[in-house]
Amino acid sequence: MATNQTAHADEHAHGDHRPSPYNPLRWLFSTNHKDIGTMYLIFAIIAGVIGGAMSGLIRWELAEPGVQIFWGMADAGNLGTDKLFSVQMPDGSHKAIFGNEHGYNVMVTMHGLIMIFFMVMPAMIGGFGNWFVPLMIGAPDMAFPRMNNISFWLLPVAFALATISMLVPGGSMGQGFGGGWTLYAPLSTSQQLHGGPSMDLLILSLHIAGISSILGAINFIVTIFNMRAPGMTLHRMPLFVWSILVTVWLLLLSLPVLAGAITMLLTDRNFGTNFFNAAGGGDPVMYQHLFWFFGHPEVYILILPGFGIVSQIVSTFSKKPVFGYLGMAYAMVSIGVIGFIVWAHHMYTVGMGLELEAYFVAATMIIAVPTGIKIFSWIATMWGGSIDLKVPMLWAIGFIFLFTLGGVTGVVLANSGIDTVLHDTYYVVAHFHYVLSMGAVFAIFAGFYYWLPKMSGLKYSGLLGGLHFWIFFVGVNIIFFPQHFLGLQGMPRRYADYPDGFAYWNYVSSIGYAITAVGALVFFYMLLDMFVLRRRKLETAENASPWGEGATTLEWTLSSPPPFHQFNELPVVAEEKHH
Amino acid sequence: MKRGWIGSALAQALVYTFAATGIAAAQTETGPVNGAIGLQPAATEVAQDIANFHDLLLWIITAVTLFVLALLLYVMLRFNKGANPTPKKFTHNLTVEVIWTVVPVLILVFISLFSFPLLFKQERIPQAELTIKAIGNTWRWDYSYPDQGVDITSLPLSEEDAKAQNRPFRMAVDEPMYVPAGVNVRMLVTSNDVIHAFSVPSFGIKEDAVPGRINETWFNVPKEGIYYGFCQELCGTLHGFMPIEVRVVSKAEFERWVQSKGGQLASAEPAPAAPAAPTAPAPDATPAPVAPATPG
Ligand code: HEM
Ligand SMILES: [Cu+2]
Ligand SMILES: [Cu+2]
């Protein structure tokens, strides 16, 4: 990448008055895109651990038929000390810590919301987006640094509200809100079932998380449109920047619809409106339309940055420019556009009628075409390359394969005729975990291992990173592949307990969770080894670019870690050799 | 009826019979089978169409996934840095780009050739001989037979009762929904409170029970037996505990059951006493109800 070399030399001169990391004000008042990016990443890791622990409780409960930890209503009277997670109350009775089946539903609900809003989105957009969009387009920082600060700090607030929501009364069923991450009315508006403050807190939490994302989206759009270095035309931007650009447009256009929908939930609950109340002339199905008008773009919001990350990594470690750059960029744009007109494929069973269903089947299947273009273009990028199977590349290749597997089951589900049997079964759970738990999460780990040396200036153990990958790869497949079988056999989602006919594959799936958890431990040991035990600095020769000649984007022209303020003199991007 | 590739291997395992005491003869029970990896055996023509279509799709998606896997393995071996130290620099190839755009389109068009007819068959409700209304409640199903005047409430058997009667816990209920075999049944589905979903996997049906709406679906089960289903839309604490049990029985037994529930038999048949009732079967009715020749 042709850059102005003097800019690089300059930065060390006066760019590097980096405040002490132990000064809390550095973080609280930060307007620095790299510091804010770091906070987003740490936040995402914390949320990931919490959300992951919740899925552990879910898999524990489902390991065998019968109640394991969410003691059922029937047991409420005779809980003894011998039961797991039962505590003695002051009056001598025993109470289940996690509650009954409703507690299980709360767990499923919060697992989904936390993973989506507080793990994947902060990691990809807030974390990697903040760190690398300015670096990749040759900008000194984000366009609105203070808005960037508030975007981040709204998130812990939203997370706190969500946490409180789990602890306060949800209504007659018990603590917390247990209506699923989709918050369907009238379960979420029912005074009788969810009359407590829990759901209201959750709505406020999502409002604040949504504001945070909208502010972030505006920031990215302005940054990308206005702050590109000379010569960095839109068609020369790295694909990661393209992916963030499309993602934040989706956020900006879809989140207000969610905000409107959940505001209507709020007023239905508290102010006597009847938007979604059939008895008052409203329509519960309208809520679903509004939700999925946001919800389907949202699932692409979760994966598009991953597409960008994987494109950078595949090109870097194949030492070859991205194949079909323009096709890749516009495949993402078209996925974003089509993503807005397919939402009702989540609602084939609501009784919307033949014509609508037929339309949504056709529209949904069309999305598979640009998705296929992306997958084949990644492979074509590797074709003829000189592939170095370093840790980030392992995750990226793992992503391509597992995302394909999740994509093809999406095509099955797109057919309303088949979705009739598969909707709301574990087949859907398997589908979206292949595209998210393995797609999005593998992309996050790929990006993490790719950029961690750049962000920290330290080396990690490739052995531990590789071990992490392989344990994870095996573990998540054992968790989720059998769930296809369960779904085909008809096992419904969001069941705290199930008939014996579903026992075998549930047991296997729970074993997969244990394996995956070991992988997560290896990940944290890798971090410990990297940052505390060994702290190996990148050698001077490879300090700027530990990945060699294949890494051609602008962030690799800077030192590792990059100076606190970079590109005080803008780099100039040459005509040739872009992306 | 043809069973697909997974089917042929598992057909034996999928259909299972266990002696259910309290029922006159040993009955075929259709529900989830431990360790099974495919769809439940199809009990209706629609479910069979779904199974065939799913088998077709399974071939296609397996081929696509294995193709991608093979390409990945190939490039990892053939173009790894040991085997190919100097990377090529090409970034375009119009031919392959056109191919990987057009071929998926063709595959999708091919899929839709099967997808739409299936959808039409499910959604166009043929003339029905029996109408049943399933009403979701937190947390139980009520069934009402408007033409027979039968209304029942169906509750799951407790663990002890299920054990005592040797019936499957979390599937068996005290008052099953009875339907005669070989008859077009129209299901009306609605709810009294939150959204539930009425589903019987082996019938290939699932319909949301939405308050304020009446959704429609249909089925026709030729074979007598017991078929299990579930509530499939999260509806609160006991969502997992409102199973559906359908008894498909002979017409005679169905009539006995209707009478035992205090229902009226006459209107169970396609209106022998009312020749004025619309009898012309819909063009796509399969099979058309046999209209009795002699008016009452
Ligand atoms: C080839 C492209 C895809 C197609 C055709 C497709 C199709 C579908 C369909 C039809 C459903 C609804 C199934 C049901 O509820 O019965 C669904 C669910 C879902 N999909 Fe996809 N999908 C695709 C890719 C993706 C991607 C890339 C993501 C996210 C990374 C994703 C995430 C989800 C999620 C989260 C759900 C479940 C939502 C819920 O009910 O909670 N899908 N998909
Ligand atoms: Cu969708
Ligand atoms: Cu339910």
Side-chain angles (χ1 to χ4, degrees):
Chain A
M1 175 66 69
T3 50
N4 187 334
Q5 285 301 315
T6 51
H8 185 191
D10 252 18
E11 267 123 31
H12 287 282
H14 51 244
D16 222 12
H17 3 260
R18 192 186 300 268
S20 155
Y22 301 108
N23 178 1
L25 296 186
R26 163 174 175 188
W27 305 102
L28 197 59
F29 296 150
S30 179
T31 52
N32 180 299
H33 72 104
K34 292 185 285 297
D35 277 2
I36 293 175
T38 304
M39 290 195 286
Y40 265 113
L41 286 175
I42 293 172
F43 180 86
I45 291 176
I46 294 171
V49 169
I50 296 173
M54 292 177 141
S55 58
L57 293 175
I58 295 171
R59 278 314 333 155
W60 189 346
E61 177 57 52
L62 296 179
E64 287 173 14
V67 181
Q68 323 303 326
I69 49 182
F70 296 94
W71 295 104
M73 305 243 278
D75 302 282
N78 55 9
L79 261 192
T81 38
D82 57 319
K83 303 248 160 130
L84 276 166
F85 299 117
S86 86
V87 282
Q88 190 158 22
M89 304 305 284
D91 66 358
S93 69
H94 292 272
K95 205 169 171 266
I97 295 184
F98 298 117
N100 54 18
E101 287 90 342
H102 171 70
Y104 175 87
N105 291 340
V106 173
M107 215 48 88
V108 171
T109 305
M110 298 312 292
H111 162 72
L113 287 172
I114 289 175
M115 287 305 202
I116 291 171
F117 286 98
F118 301 117
M119 197 280 275
V120 175
M121 286 169 66
M124 289 200 167
I125 308 166
F128 296 139
N130 254 308
W131 254 97
F132 294 105
V133 164
L135 295 188
M136 284 179 155
I137 62 175
D141 204 307
M142 295 285 285
F144 305 118
R146 295 185 189 203
M147 193 159 93
N148 206 6
N149 174 289
I150 195 74
S151 298
F152 172 76
W153 281 109
L154 284 175
L155 264 193
V157 176
F159 195 45
L161 283 173
T163 313
I164 299 171
S165 146
M166 281 196 284
L167 305 173
V168 300
S172 65
M173 298 190 291
Q175 272 173 14
F177 173 73
W181 82 280
T182 46
L183 317 175
Y184 277 5
L187 181 55
S188 58
T189 51
S190 156
Q191 274 307 312
Q192 199 245 319
L193 294 171
H194 276 126
S198 183
M199 176 61 188
D200 299 309
L201 285 166
L202 202 53
I203 292 173
L204 297 181
S205 166
L206 290 182
H207 267 309
I208 292 180
I211 293 171
S212 154
S213 292
I214 289 177
L215 294 180
I218 293 170
N219 213 343
F220 278 110
I221 291 174
V222 176
T223 306
I224 295 173
F225 280 158
N226 290 323
M227 293 181 61
R228 281 169 284 122
M232 177 63 80
T233 61
L234 282 178
H235 283 174
R236 288 186 199 163
M237 289 194 314
L239 283 175
F240 176 67
V241 181
W242 264 106
S243 73
I244 292 286
L245 182 62
V246 176
T247 304
V248 293
W249 272 108
L250 295 189
L251 276 173
L252 191 69
L253 296 176
S254 70
L255 269 172
V257 178
L258 174 74
I262 62 178
T263 305
M264 287 186 249
L265 290 182
L266 198 66
T267 60
D268 268 12
R269 291 171 54 79
N270 298 295
F271 306 119
T273 57
N274 285 309
F275 292 112
F276 309 127
N277 176 11
D283 183 2
V285 173
M286 185 48 76
Y287 173 78
Q288 300 187 15
H289 281 293
L290 292 173
F291 181 86
W292 287 115
F293 186 83
F294 149 81
H296 187 82
E298 172 67 20
V299 305
Y300 278 101
I301 287 163
L302 298 171
I303 198 69
L304 279 167
F307 287 173
I309 294 170
V310 168
S311 294
Q312 305 302 144
I313 293 176
V314 165
S315 155
T316 296
F317 293 94
S318 307
K319 301 194 189 67
K320 208 166 144 271
V322 172
F323 182 94
Y325 168 84
L326 280 182
M328 289 290 252
Y330 284 99
M332 290 194 281
V333 174
S334 60
I335 287 175
V337 172
I338 305 170
F340 274 105
I341 54 168
V342 300
W343 73 90
H345 64 215
H346 296 272
M347 313 161 44
Y348 283 140
T349 61
V350 296
M352 65 177 115
L354 180 59
E355 292 78 6
L356 265 182
E357 278 186 56
Y359 159 74
F360 279 106
V361 170
T364 302
M365 292 212 285
I366 291 173
I367 286 208
V369 176
T371 311
I373 292 180
K374 299 217 61 102
I375 288 171
F376 291 119
S377 297
W378 286 319
I379 297 176
T381 304
M382 292 191 256
W383 198 279
S386 179
I387 298 174
D388 195 352
L389 289 176
K390 291 237 168 61
V391 177
M393 188 64 168
L394 286 180
W395 288 97
I397 294 176
F399 167 94
I400 297 174
F401 174 59
L402 297 174
F403 180 77
T404 306
L405 219 162
V408 293
T409 55
V411 173
V412 173
L413 292 170
N415 295 286
S416 172
I418 282 194
D419 192 60
T420 311
V421 271
L422 297 181
H423 174 63
D424 257 322
T425 68
Y426 265 78
Y427 195 90
V428 177
V429 177
H431 158 65
F432 69 73
H433 281 92
Y434 264 87
V435 282
L436 291 176
S437 244
M438 308 183 196
V441 170
F442 273 46
I444 290 173
F445 278 125
F448 200 68
Y449 281 104
Y450 182 54
W451 282 314
L452 201 49
K454 170 57 60 187
M455 294 187 285
S456 65
L458 300 177
K459 283 203 268 197
Y460 56 78
S461 153
L463 185 74
L464 289 173
L467 196 64
H468 174 205
F469 169 77
W470 282 111
I471 299 177
F472 237 72
F473 186 86
V474 172
V476 287
N477 275 296
I478 296 180
I479 300 179
F480 293 113
F481 202 78
Q483 296 188 356
H484 293 113
F485 306 151
L486 289 171
L488 287 169
Q489 277 285 295
M491 176 161 169
R493 330 163 45 173
R494 297 161 167 171
Y495 264 33
D497 198 1
Y498 49 82
D500 294 347
F502 298 123
Y504 182 76
W505 291 118
N506 268 301
Y507 187 65
V508 174
S509 179
S510 290
I511 292 177
Y513 181 86
I515 298 176
T516 311
V518 173
L521 290 181
V522 174
F523 171 65
F524 285 107
Y525 183 74
M526 183 282 298
L527 288 181
L528 184 75
D529 174 72
M530 178 177 178
F531 284 98
V532 182
L533 299 183
R534 287 202 283 172
R535 280 198 79 81
R536 292 179 301 162
K537 289 215 158 56
L538 291 170
E539 276 102 46
T540 335
E542 57 172 30
N543 177 276
S545 178
W547 307 128
E549 49 175 304
T552 56
T553 40
L554 277 178
E555 79 269 30
W556 305 109
T557 62
L558 299 169
S559 61
S560 303
F564 200 58
H565 300 291
Q566 76 278 349
F567 299 137
N568 292 336
E569 234 170 88
L570 294 180
V572 176
V573 181
E575 173 101 37
E576 291 303 303
K577 298 172 90 179
H578 48 84
H579 41 268
Chain B
M1 285 184 207
K2 182 186 117 337
R3 220 181 279 285
W5 69 288
I6 279 191
S8 48
L10 283 152
Q12 245 40 36
L14 285 175
V15 182
Y16 64 112
T17 314
F18 49 94
T21 44
I23 304 158
Q27 293 247 30
T28 326
E29 300 198 28
T30 308
V33 176
N34 217 3
I37 64 171
L39 289 163
Q40 289 185 19
T44 64
E45 202 181 309
V46 167
Q48 189 58 49
D49 288 357
I50 292 176
N52 295 340
F53 183 33
H54 180 259
D55 282 344
L56 173 76
L57 284 178
L58 193 54
W59 278 109
I60 295 174
I61 65 174
T62 309
V64 169
T65 311
L66 291 181
F67 178 60
V68 169
L69 178 63
L71 287 176
L72 282 173
L73 291 175
Y74 178 76
V75 291
M76 279 195 286
L77 294 175
R78 171 66 186 79
F79 299 111
N80 87 31
K81 67 172 188 244
N84 193 37
T86 25
K88 300 196 178 67
K89 289 290 167 199
F90 68 90
T91 57
H92 293 281
N93 183 328
L94 192 62
T95 321
V96 294
E97 288 179 77
V98 169
I99 290 177
W100 70 46
T101 310
V102 171
V103 172
V105 171
L106 293 179
I107 295 178
L108 293 172
V109 169
F110 176 74
I111 289 175
S112 64
L113 292 181
F114 299 86
S115 183
F116 289 113
L118 171 60
L119 179 58
F120 295 159
K121 191 166 184 173
Q122 290 169 318
E123 289 290 321
R124 295 212 179 116
I125 314 242
Q127 175 120 353
E129 274 178 67
L130 175 66
T131 299
I132 306 176
K133 192 168 167 190
I135 305 144
N137 299 275
T138 43
W139 291 278
R140 58 158 213 277
W141 289 103
D142 291 343
Y143 302 107
S144 126
Y145 295 65
D147 298 329
Q148 287 73 19
V150 171
D151 289 285
I152 55 172
T153 285
S154 177
L155 288 167
L157 293 185
S158 71
E159 195 161 6
E160 297 77 46
D161 289 353
K163 222 172 255 160
Q165 299 172 26
N166 195 15
R167 316 260 354 261
F169 178 48
R170 299 216 178 244
M171 298 205 298
V173 300
D174 59 352
E175 290 280 2
M177 177 180 121
Y178 273 73
V179 291
V183 166
N184 284 346
V185 179
R186 177 187 20 210
M187 285 299 303
L188 304 177
V189 183
T190 187
S191 163
N192 278 335
D193 38 49
V194 300
I195 304 180
H196 307 263
F198 182 88
S199 85
V200 183
S202 54
F203 293 2
I205 59 170
K206 178 174 299 141
E207 204 63 42
D208 284 3
V210 184
R213 285 195 180 209
I214 296 181
N215 281 335
E216 255 186 324
T217 185
W218 72 282
F219 60 84
N220 181 331
V221 187
K223 193 159 165 275
E224 292 174 28
I226 302 177
Y227 301 86
Y228 294 106
F230 308 96
C231 176
Q232 295 225 352
E233 181 62 60
L234 178 56
C235 57
T237 310
L238 292 187
H239 166 51
F241 208 41
M242 43 187 293
I244 294 158
E245 177 181 342
V246 184
R247 296 258 170 122
V248 180
V249 296
S250 67
K251 270 203 173 142
E253 197 180 337
F254 177 72
E255 282 164 12
R256 273 200 299 280
W257 177 80
V258 168
Q259 275 164 337
S260 77
K261 297 291 162 197
Q264 297 291 314
L265 260 188
S267 50
E269 298 307 317
T279 48
D284 50 350
T286 45
V290 195
T294 39

